[in-house]
Amino acid sequence: MPESIISVEHVHKSVTDSTGTLEILRDIDFSLAPRETAAIVGASGSGKSTLLSIIAGLDRPTSGTVRLAGQDLFALDEDARAELRARQVGFVFQSFQLMGNLTALENVMLPLELAGRGDARKSATEMLARVGLAERLGHYPRVLSGGEQQRVALARAFVVHPAVLLADEPTGSLDFATGERVMNLMFDLNREQGTTLVLVTHDRAIAGRCERRITIDAGRIAADERAGAPG
């Protein structure tokens, strides 16, 4: 296994329109070790979600390199990048992004089926039980609460045992108690599976549970603090 599971190397991102060029990210440079937990924090519009999308290979930087498990993401074509993502990366979004026409079980089975796994139903059932939804396998997202939907999304992300889990405001639309339960599950699964966890969050309590806190301000890294460091 490489020393760094994620390596972000001098990443810049800008967009140009009729009003000129907007610099979204400026010389972002850091790496994360396997099993590490990191929170990316900063004001709205600072570039946090754009950075997460680039780490995932969903958005392309204007310049710079992102390596996932030693592989240069943007040296790959789109299909190869998607295949690497399917094998190595899980996602948890604030908006859940479940398939409304699929049951909870079918939503969690989906990434396993796409990977050609023959044990999709068994593994998905076990993971849903792990997040406390054994009685909700046949329910569609529309009849699940927000917390239940987020736990389905969490099960879907972790069922493939990803090397990296990326989460964008994973508790942003949940009440405090439900959000706390979801975060406890996320950190428990991180420890059990050895997954590197990268969270974009506004919640200082969540950020404080991570080993690293990377602060983005106006597209730059303003601070990179490790647990126990002041501030």
Side-chain angles (χ1 to χ4, degrees), residues 109-225:
M109 287 173 61
L110 187 59
L112 297 170
E113 290 175 329
L114 291 173
R117 290 266 297 271
D119 64 341
R121 180 172 293 273
K122 179 176 182 290
S123 294
T125 300
E126 290 171 352
M127 185 55 70
L128 282 164
R130 175 67 184 82
V131 301
L133 294 175
E135 306 303 317
R136 306 292 255 169
L137 303 183
H139 290 70
Y140 290 90
R142 66 179 176 273
V143 299
L144 299 176
S145 69
E148 287 171 334
Q149 289 184 59
Q150 191 61 300
R151 282 186 278 152
V152 174
L154 201 58
R156 182 182 60 187
F158 272 105
V159 76
V160 295
H161 290 254
V164 174
L165 183 87
L166 306 174
D168 194 359
E169 298 287 0
T171 63
S173 59
L174 304 177
D175 64 73
F176 176 80
T178 305
E180 186 78 1
R181 182 175 186 188
V182 165
M183 288 312 304
N184 287 338
L185 278 168
M186 191 174 291
F187 281 99
D188 287 348
L189 290 166
N190 156 257
R191 285 189 292 272
E192 290 170 16
Q193 295 191 6
T195 300
T196 300
L197 191 57
V198 186
L199 309 175
V200 163
T201 184
H202 283 97
D203 188 318
R204 293 178 66 86
I206 292 172
R209 294 179 66 171
C210 294
E211 296 161 334
R212 294 267 293 279
R213 188 168 69 244
I214 299 168
T215 303
I216 307 294
D217 183 26
R220 296 184 186 277
I221 294 181
D224 185 350
E225 301 159 306

Side-chain angles (χ1 to χ4, degrees), residues 10 22 25 32 34 46 62-63 69 71 85 88 99-100 102 121 139 154 171 174-175 182 188 197 200 205 221:
H10 303 292
L22 175 64
L25 296 173
L32 296 172
S46 59
T62 304
S63 62
Q71 175 68 61
R85 235 187 346 260
Q88 300 276 8
M99 303 289 286
L102 300 181
R121 180 172 293 273
H139 290 70
L154 201 58
T171 63
L174 304 177
D175 64 73
V182 165
D188 287 348
L197 191 57
V200 163
I221 294 181

